[in-house]
């Protein structure tokens, strides 16, 4: 009986580090422009950095202007970075970035944030 308890305890201890790895998925760790920032000059790109590599095919960025209209953006993905060039100069106002990504481990993540361009 004592041997069985020790075996179960050993298996439980070994499974803890593995379960943390299995539950891990990409999370946004850095954004340019910064989340909820106010900037003086319009950005030329939206750059997102994730905690682990992401898949380009199932990832994207949608940029919305102060009037709510979508500003079309193409993306490029390289390892942990997703970049969307901003093809036109942004007028002063509050912009929203909606993003979604598929991490290399198959988890889908999404989120959004705002930034403001001041005149």
């Amino acid at each position: 009986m004592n041997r069985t308890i020790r075996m179960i305890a050993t298996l439980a201890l070994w499974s803890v580090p593995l379960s943390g790895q299995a539950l891990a998925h990409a999370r946004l760790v850095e954004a340019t422009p910064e989340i909820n920032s106010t900037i003086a000059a319009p950005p030329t790109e939206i750059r997102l950095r994730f905690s682990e590599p992401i898949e380009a095919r199932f990832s994207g960025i949608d940029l919305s202007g102060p009037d709510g209209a979508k500003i079309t953006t193409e993306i490029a993905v390289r390892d942990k970075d997703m970049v969307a060039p901003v093809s036109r100069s942004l007028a002063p106002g509050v912009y929203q970035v909606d993003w979604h990504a598929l991490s290399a481990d198959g988890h889908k993540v999404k989120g959004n944030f705002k930034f403001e361009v001041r005149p």
Side-chain angles (χ1 to χ4, degrees), residues 97-111:
V97 175
D98 293 297
W99 58 267
H100 61 278
L102 178 69
S103 58
D105 66 3
H107 286 97
K108 293 179 183 178
V109 292
K110 64 181 180 176

Side-chain angles (χ1 to χ4, degrees), residues 32-33 39 41-46 63 85-90 95 115 117:
T32 304
I39 55 178
T44 57
E45 66 182 17
I46 307 297
L63 178 62
V86 178
S87 58
R88 64 182 174 106
S89 184
L90 301 180
Y95 291 81
F115 66 90
V117 176

Side-chain angles (χ1 to χ4, degrees), residues 34-111:
E34 291 181 18
I35 297 170
N36 299 321
S37 65
T38 300
I39 55 178
T44 57
E45 66 182 17
I46 307 297
R47 180 176 294 271
L48 306 179
R49 172 159 281 206
F50 294 87
S51 59
E52 59 185 73
I54 58 171
E55 298 290 332
R57 188 171 167 194
F58 301 104
S59 302
I61 294 174
D62 293 318
L63 178 62
S64 300
D67 60 358
K70 299 275 188 214
I71 299 167
T72 307
T73 57
E74 299 277 326
I75 65 157
V77 171
R78 185 170 193 175
D79 194 35
K80 299 177 182 181
D81 293 328
M82 180 170 25
V83 179
V86 178
S87 58
R88 64 182 174 106
S89 184
L90 301 180
V94 176
Y95 291 81
Q96 179 159 323
V97 175
D98 293 297
W99 58 267
H100 61 278
L102 178 69
S103 58
D105 66 3
H107 286 97
K108 293 179 183 178
V109 292
K110 64 181 180 176

